[in-house]
Amino acid sequence: GPISTEDLVDVLAGSYTATIKDSNQCVITHNVNVSEPPVLNPGQITGDQFVCYGEDPQTLREAFGASGGPTTRVYSWEMSTISDSANYSIVSGATGSTYTPPGNITETTYYRRLVTSGSCGPEYSNVVTLTVNPLPVAALSGDTAICPGTPTDIVVDLTVGSQPFTLTISNGIGVVSGYRSGDPITIVPIAAPAVYELVSVIDSFGCEVRSPH
């Protein structure tokens, strides 16, 4: 007679015996083993980091690898600059277990890794955050008219960056550590005119700007 098939769904793993009887009462039995692969686990990634504006992030790596699934595991990566939980998009060409984000980063970015295996997945890893810190913004002030050898103050106003700062100022002042915006720096010019320039500013995150004035 005609061949009849039937698909069974939601079958648990185990051993089954199928008994088939045709219209002539002929009977055949067949043993079937149903196996279930280990649950697909996405693993965990590492790489949370603070990056200065315009610098190159470090590679995002595995804390431990993905596991389980019925076949070869396939990776991809997603990123978002909006939120750690929404607005993700696929990173083109990122198919490895690790990923190195592009350099010259300018905004805080969130990454997560996906893994699939056959028809299983995608399963999502934890999220790593690349926090971008802005470069310091500074202005040196203190123009005045004094006699040589008379003490006076100059001030650096810092409107962007994390305190305390490390300043480098020309004309013999050198490095000023532990500086906070608006603190007076006392100088004693020995000749006129005396010109002072802000050579560099480094904030507490290590973000540096040179010749910021």
Side-chain angles (χ1 to χ4, degrees):
I3 297 175
S4 176
T5 62
E6 183 175 354
D7 292 329
L8 302 179
V9 297
D10 297 329
V11 176
L12 299 178
S15 297
Y16 296 86
T17 299
T19 302
I20 302 128
K21 180 187 294 185
D22 68 8
S23 60
N24 295 319
Q25 304 302 306
C26 295
V27 177
I28 187 172
T29 60
H30 186 70
N31 294 323
V32 178
N33 291 318
V34 177
S35 61
E36 182 178 5
V39 174
L40 181 60
N41 186 312
Q44 184 173 332
I45 58 175
T46 63
D48 288 321
Q49 54 195 279
F50 291 96
V51 187
C52 298
Y53 182 95
E55 289 190 347
D56 297 344
Q58 297 178 354
T59 297
L60 311 183
R61 303 187 182 278
E62 289 185 317
F64 57 85
S67 60
T71 61
T72 301
R73 291 180 290 274
V74 177
Y75 295 107
S76 58
W77 291 76
E78 290 184 340
M79 62 168 288
S80 172
T81 57
I82 305 300
S83 166
D84 63 356
S85 59
N87 297 98
Y88 278 91
S89 59
I90 288 289
V91 178
S92 177
T95 58
S97 60
T98 64
Y99 174 66
T100 302
N104 193 32
I105 189 170
T106 59
E107 57 185 334
T108 294
T109 307
Y110 308 94
Y111 286 94
R112 65 186 183 185
R113 190 182 67 181
L114 294 70
V115 61
T116 60
S117 176
S119 61
C120 298
E123 296 294 332
Y124 296 88
S125 74
N126 57 301
V127 174
V128 296
T129 304
L130 279 57
T131 303
V132 174
N133 293 311
L135 299 180
V137 175
L140 175 64
S141 62
D143 289 342
T144 188
I146 60 172
C147 296
T150 302
T152 188
D153 291 336
I154 59 175
V155 171
V156 179
D157 292 311
L158 295 123
T159 55
V160 177
S162 177
Q163 301 191 91
F165 298 88
T166 299
L167 313 178
T168 301
I169 302 175
S170 68
N171 203 3
I173 296 180
V175 175
V176 180
S177 301
Y179 187 81
R180 295 183 177 274
S181 181
D183 286 351
I185 301 171
T186 301
I187 59 175
V188 184
I190 59 175
V195 178
Y196 298 88
E197 294 182 346
L198 193 54
V199 177
S200 68
V201 177
I202 304 173
D203 74 0
S204 62
F205 286 113
C207 298
E208 179 179 12
V209 62
R210 301 190 67 83
S211 301
H213 55 284

